[in-house]
Amino acid sequence: MNHEPLRALRDRRSVPASQLGAPGPDARALRQLLEVAVRVPDHGKLAPFRMILLEGEAKLAFGARLSALLESRPNLSDAKREKERRRYEYAPLVIAVVSRIDTGSSVPAIEQQLAAGNVAHNLLLGAQALGFGAQWLTGWAAYDEDVAALLGLGANEGIIGFVHVGTPVMEAPERERPAVDEVVSSWTP
């Protein structure tokens, strides 16, 4: 059996957003990335997801607006505030992945959210396949009502995460992974 086709999956790793720089995907590569992103398991063919692109000045303005929102949060350390202020300065492209729950569907909401989560995962895999680095981040902004309003999300929508895409400025660090035998078991009756 040829295991080489699994190499890209075996070697996949997130590149910290602060280690991503220009260039990002050009128009053709971005289109390819978005086309593979939506090829996910989707019970009921609901397409319970959408993506919002943050690029250029709009991305920086979004980061500035998030920073302004943090000013009203007194429990945040100065270091955390600074990290959040700069988060959108590095990668040339940030994609907000949004779940859209069809409440009238018989498909459970969790399955719809998982489909949207798979969009984010496909963005990571697609970015790597195109020679870019990427990181999927959530943090406070993914769960904040003011951020949802800033992005124009509807009542049935939620942020799955922000996928930062760019060119790695240094080799991505590897992290310890779970041992397969520690996370896999066989069920027996």
Side-chain angles (χ1 to χ4, degrees):
M1 178 181 288
N2 180 2
H3 294 286
E4 200 56 31
L6 297 178
R7 183 180 186 138
L9 295 173
R10 187 189 68 232
D11 294 344
R12 195 215 67 77
R13 60 183 73 168
S14 293
V15 178
S18 62
Q19 295 176 10
L20 293 170
D26 62 17
R28 181 174 177 269
L30 177 57
R31 184 66 184 194
Q32 290 175 321
L33 180 59
L34 298 174
E35 286 173 350
V36 300
V38 300
R39 295 186 61 87
V40 297
D42 178 6
H43 183 183
K45 301 177 188 172
L46 300 173
F49 46 78
R50 65 186 180 103
M51 293 173 276
I52 302 169
L53 305 180
L54 302 167
E55 301 176 276
E57 291 301 316
K59 175 182 62 88
L60 296 175
F62 179 75
R65 296 282 294 274
L66 293 188
S67 181
L69 287 174
L70 287 176
E71 294 303 319
S72 65
R73 292 173 169 82
N75 297 335
L76 210 58
S77 71
D78 289 342
K80 179 74 169 168
R81 194 179 309 279
E82 178 66 10
K83 180 180 180 180
E84 291 297 325
R85 185 187 69 73
R86 300 201 60 208
R87 185 176 302 275
Y88 293 87
E89 295 179 3
Y90 305 107
L93 171 65
V94 178
I95 304 170
V97 180
V98 176
S99 66
R100 288 190 306 202
I101 305 303
D102 181 344
T103 56
S105 171
S106 62
V107 176
I110 185 67
E111 291 186 30
Q112 296 180 55
Q113 289 172 319
L114 288 169
N118 277 299
V119 168
H121 188 241
N122 275 6
L123 287 169
L124 296 178
L125 295 175
Q128 177 178 299
L130 291 169
F132 297 100
Q135 186 177 32
W136 173 358
L137 297 171
T138 52
W140 72 275
Y143 309 105
D144 188 271
E145 291 179 9
D146 293 329
V147 176
L150 180 61
L151 289 171
L153 272 53
N156 66 327
E157 295 182 313
I159 298 167
I160 292 296
F162 298 93
V163 179
H164 298 244
V165 181
T167 298
V169 297
M170 61 183 67
E171 186 174 338
E174 182 56 88
R175 67 172 178 82
E176 189 173 324
R177 307 292 174 163
V180 171
D181 292 339
E182 292 177 10
V183 296
V184 176
S185 62
S186 297
W187 182 83
T188 55

